[in-house]
Amino acid sequence: MTIQEIRADELDPAQFIQTRVSAIREAVGDGLAINALSGGVDSSVVTMLGHRALGDRLQTVFVENGLMRQGEPQQIVDRFRELGVPVAIHDARDRFFAALRGLTDPEAKREAITQTFYRDVFADLVRSSGARFLLQGTILTDVDETVAGIKRQHNVLAQLGIDPQAAFGYRVLEPLIELRKDGVRKVGAALGLPEAVYQRMPFPGPALAARVIGEVTSERVAAVRLATAVLEEELAASQPFQVMAILHADRVTGMRDGRRDYGHQIEVRCWDSVDARAATPTRLDYDTLDRLAARLVTEVPGVVSVTYNITPKPPSTMEAI
Amino acid sequence: MTIQEIRADELDPAQFIQTRVSAIREAVGDGLAINALSGGVDSSVVTMLGHRALGDRLQTVFVENGLMRQGEPQQIVDRFRELGVPVAIHDARDRFFAALRGLTDPEAKREAITQTFYRDVFADLVRSSGARFLLQGTILTDVDETVAGIKRQHNVLAQLGIDPQAAFGYRVLEPLIELRKDGVRKVGAALGLPEAVYQRMPFPGPALAARVIGEVTSERVAAVRLATAVLEEELAASQPFQVMAILHADRVTGMRDGRRDYGHQIEVRCWDSVDARAATPTRLDYDTLDRLAARLVTEVPGVVSVTYNITPKPPSTMEAI
């Protein structure tokens, strides 16, 4: 199957929305569909498109994996409620942290998060929903990266442990598959999504777990969550391309109340970039860096040291692991 | 025993040198003495003082532990040769790296270095030298810190496994014990030591091992050595109070030739300080930071990421471990 790319500059969003809404209606008929909303651009656009096509016959679930930013699950649900789209929060934090226990290898951690999402949590939700149609926000870049071996297979049914050949007739709908990110943003704008959603800062699939070096526990994620909130608050005005806090596993010596304190280090990365393919560290002024360090060592328990990454991509990558 | 402090502003260096030279001569008589030169201010001043008192009857040894900076052992020996003081280099690299193998706990590493130096290497040298007098560069701050429990005991003979009560009559001479660092620098200047010696940047006892987080191997020390040489070269003109490169054990993702490369991270610390009790990160301009990062990822094998520490002391300490 060859997918015909629709370039953003050729895209007519209104027409695209109309044809995709019709296609979804035709496919689903009077059946039920389900989709998982992560809050990212692609899944947000699919959610809007699916609701325009199916209304209440699309069930949208936000899986709370315990790895999201401060207040993020509720914020996403509230935002969609304001748009008239109900989203159910499914609390699966314990299952994710149980799956991550003791893992330190980055690939093993990523795999545990993916498996927990698809095989455990989402598979249960799909089966109990009675839906036979899954809406997915796959875009052309995902397909390219799967072919190139950079990303995992986007064969969702196989990941759910559901045989698509079986009599049940499960079917995956991927209405954005001919678009790239810039096209998806145009469609998002035309669907009436707020700019904060369709222009959202890139955020990795494994969420804050990608910013915990070593074992991912709820305490360590909480430290990164708090640090991230500080960074986003302090740098809100300068609107960086991307800013992140990374909790290291290496411990370093510090001093608290005149005593040695073998504590934690947070690494801050703040990127200038056009398209994420190349990036340079933002030249934050030292008054800002001082303020970030002062707040992080005060507000994040156990942190005695803060660094700022000064390496461009390449040879660095934007995320640490 | 109470030690009477001699404050730097009350110190008459010429008179101090004269009385200490006499005292050393009187104590040693026509016997032999030995001392270990590390290249630091205190041991350099003791070496000069001891040679002025004893000439060839003081044997000065530089123990090459494999943990020093680039070219440092030879540089130190050359510098003292120019001053008319012969220094023997004793190569003990294998013994130090063997003792450090598999150790990751900072205290265990420090202990291994101390034990290897005193019990293994220096004890052998003392016994085979025939000397009964050890000259030590202990200063008043060391005594204070021993009493306060911050530093280890400076009972050198016990550390050497030599019973000072035994018939051999081993004796330790500590001619600088009434001084603090600023007084020692004044004496160093008066003894004709070059400014580069008596104003030397502070450098920790465990040397570059203090800047390797995790296991200390000769390869990992070599990476820190190379990084340190780059930093000292690039920042020579700005003469920071102290600058250091730290190799982390945590690995981070990078990209080399378009491929993922799970590599190493170097942390740079550069301090502004008056007396090391408090310190703030030097506000290096971003052109300098860019140049440091570019050289470190190019010249130090396996390094894909460089950070700059932005935390003041306290709550940070100057060294990482």
Side-chain angles (χ1 to χ4, degrees):
Chain A
M1 182 189 75
T2 315
I3 301 163
Q4 189 64 49
E5 175 173 0
I6 304 172
R7 280 172 36 205
D9 57 1
E10 302 164 341
L11 173 72
D12 175 343
Q15 197 210 337
F16 180 89
I17 292 165
Q18 202 191 329
T19 59
R20 290 315 174 277
V21 163
S22 301
I24 294 168
R25 280 185 187 147
E26 195 179 324
V28 178
D30 51 11
L32 296 174
I34 187 168
N35 82 308
L37 170 66
S38 70
V41 180
D42 305 337
S43 74
S44 294
V45 171
V46 155
T47 298
M48 284 303 287
L49 209 51
H51 277 270
R52 192 165 289 191
L54 305 173
D56 286 353
R57 284 181 298 119
L58 172 62
Q59 188 190 333
T60 298
V61 187
F62 179 91
V63 173
E64 160 64 298
N65 56 14
L67 307 173
M68 304 303 283
R69 283 172 289 190
Q70 200 162 280
E72 200 165 27
Q74 198 53 53
Q75 214 169 65
I76 291 168
V77 169
D78 289 349
R79 193 167 268 157
F80 276 87
R81 185 188 299 124
E82 283 164 27
L83 295 165
V85 176
V87 177
I89 295 189
H90 180 78
D91 186 352
R93 289 178 290 187
D94 291 348
R95 293 175 89 167
F96 280 90
F97 286 118
L100 286 162
R101 193 167 298 139
L103 302 181
T104 56
D105 176 72
E107 278 309 313
K109 294 192 292 186
R110 229 186 296 267
E111 185 69 13
I113 293 167
T114 308
Q115 292 296 338
T116 303
F117 179 78
Y118 286 109
R119 302 237 160 177
D120 300 345
V121 179
F122 195 52
D124 284 359
L125 289 170
V126 171
R127 289 199 184 91
S128 64
S129 72
R132 290 290 175 271
F133 296 87
L134 310 185
L135 259 70
Q136 275 275 118
T138 321
I139 67 172
L140 195 52
T141 316
D142 299 328
V143 178
D144 290 346
E145 292 183 347
T146 303
V147 172
I150 301 170
K151 266 197 186 165
R152 71 180 50 258
Q153 271 292 339
H154 274 267
N155 184 338
V156 180
L157 290 173
Q159 286 184 42
L160 292 173
I162 292 172
D163 178 2
Q165 308 297 331
F168 296 122
Y170 281 105
R171 207 178 139 195
V172 177
L173 305 178
E174 296 173 315
L176 308 181
I177 204 156
E178 293 128 318
L179 304 180
R180 297 197 184 270
K181 194 67 88 182
D182 47 359
V184 177
R185 292 193 208 277
K186 276 180 82 169
V187 174
L191 282 165
L193 282 169
E195 193 172 342
V197 174
Y198 68 80
Q199 293 290 12
R200 199 177 80 140
M201 191 187 282
F203 192 63
L208 297 179
R211 292 158 187 185
V212 171
I213 299 181
E215 192 185 9
V216 180
T217 63
S218 64
E219 293 74 22
R220 303 192 74 216
V221 171
V224 172
R225 180 178 294 123
L226 208 50
T228 304
V230 167
L231 298 182
E232 293 187 353
E233 187 184 317
E234 289 290 337
L235 301 177
S238 53
Q239 291 203 293
F241 182 81
Q242 201 174 12
V243 62
M244 62 186 78
I246 296 146
L247 178 65
H248 281 242
D250 285 343
R251 291 170 73 194
V252 294
T253 304
M255 296 174 77
R256 293 275 185 195
D257 309 318
R259 287 167 163 231
R260 274 175 97 83
D261 177 7
Y262 197 43
H264 299 289
Q265 186 175 73
I266 293 264
E267 175 187 342
V268 176
R269 297 185 179 194
C270 185
W271 295 107
D272 288 343
S273 178
V274 175
D275 59 6
R277 279 186 289 197
T280 52
T282 306
R283 294 187 162 205
L284 295 177
D285 61 84
Y286 276 95
D287 288 343
T288 303
L289 293 175
D290 282 356
R291 210 166 52 241
L292 295 180
R295 287 195 59 185
L296 294 174
V297 299
T298 310
E299 297 176 31
V300 186
V303 171
V304 296
S305 178
V306 180
T307 63
Y308 188 60
N309 198 297
I310 57 170
T311 332
K313 170 185 179 179
S316 182
T317 46
M318 300 185 76
E319 297 284 342
I321 51 177
Chain B
M1 181 188 75
T2 315
I3 301 162
Q4 188 64 48
E5 174 173 0
I6 302 172
R7 281 174 33 206
D9 57 2
E10 301 164 342
L11 172 72
D12 175 344
Q15 197 210 335
F16 180 89
I17 291 166
Q18 201 191 327
T19 59
R20 290 317 175 275
V21 163
S22 302
I24 294 169
R25 279 186 187 145
E26 194 180 323
V28 177
D30 51 11
L32 295 174
I34 187 168
N35 81 310
L37 170 66
S38 70
V41 180
D42 305 337
S43 74
S44 294
V45 171
V46 155
T47 298
M48 285 303 287
L49 208 52
H51 276 270
R52 192 165 289 190
L54 305 174
D56 285 353
R57 286 182 297 118
L58 173 62
Q59 188 190 334
T60 298
V61 188
F62 179 90
V63 173
E64 161 64 298
N65 55 15
L67 307 173
M68 304 302 283
R69 282 171 290 191
Q70 200 162 279
E72 199 165 28
Q74 199 53 51
Q75 213 169 66
I76 291 168
V77 169
D78 290 349
R79 193 167 269 156
F80 276 88
R81 184 188 298 123
E82 283 164 27
L83 295 165
V85 176
V87 177
I89 295 189
H90 180 78
D91 186 353
R93 288 178 289 187
D94 291 349
R95 293 175 88 167
F96 280 90
F97 285 118
L100 286 162
R101 194 167 298 138
L103 301 181
T104 55
D105 177 72
E107 278 309 313
K109 294 191 292 186
R110 228 187 298 267
E111 185 68 15
I113 292 167
T114 308
Q115 293 296 338
T116 303
F117 180 79
Y118 286 109
R119 302 235 160 177
D120 300 344
V121 179
F122 195 51
D124 284 359
L125 289 169
V126 170
R127 289 202 182 87
S128 64
S129 71
R132 289 291 174 271
F133 296 88
L134 310 185
L135 259 69
Q136 276 273 120
T138 321
I139 68 170
L140 194 51
T141 315
D142 299 328
V143 178
D144 291 346
E145 293 184 346
T146 303
V147 173
I150 300 171
K151 265 197 186 165
R152 70 180 49 257
Q153 271 291 340
H154 274 266
N155 184 338
V156 179
L157 290 173
Q159 286 184 44
L160 291 173
I162 293 172
D163 178 1
Q165 309 298 330
F168 295 121
Y170 281 106
R171 207 177 139 196
V172 178
L173 305 177
E174 296 172 315
L176 308 181
I177 204 157
E178 294 128 318
L179 304 180
R180 296 197 185 271
K181 194 68 88 183
D182 47 359
V184 178
R185 293 194 206 278
K186 276 180 82 169
V187 173
L191 283 165
L193 282 169
E195 193 173 342
V197 174
Y198 69 79
Q199 293 290 11
R200 197 175 82 138
M201 194 187 281
F203 192 62
L208 297 179
R211 292 159 186 184
V212 172
I213 299 181
E215 191 184 9
V216 181
T217 63
S218 64
E219 293 74 24
R220 303 193 74 216
V221 170
V224 172
R225 180 178 293 122
L226 207 52
T228 304
V230 167
L231 297 182
E232 292 186 354
E233 187 185 317
E234 289 289 338
L235 301 177
S238 53
Q239 292 206 291
F241 182 82
Q242 201 175 11
V243 62
M244 62 187 78
I246 296 147
L247 178 65
H248 281 241
D250 284 342
R251 291 171 71 195
V252 294
T253 304
M255 296 174 77
R256 294 272 186 200
D257 309 319
R259 284 167 166 234
R260 273 175 96 84
D261 177 8
Y262 197 43
H264 300 290
Q265 185 175 74
I266 292 263
E267 175 188 341
V268 176
R269 296 185 180 194
C270 186
W271 295 107
D272 288 343
S273 178
V274 174
D275 59 7
R277 280 186 289 197
T280 52
T282 306
R283 293 186 163 207
L284 295 177
D285 62 83
Y286 275 95
D287 287 344
T288 303
L289 293 175
D290 282 357
R291 210 165 52 242
L292 295 179
R295 286 195 59 185
L296 293 174
V297 299
T298 310
E299 297 177 32
V300 186
V303 171
V304 295
S305 179
V306 180
T307 62
Y308 187 60
N309 198 298
I310 56 170
T311 331
K313 171 186 178 178
S316 184
T317 47
M318 300 185 75
E319 298 285 342
I321 51 176

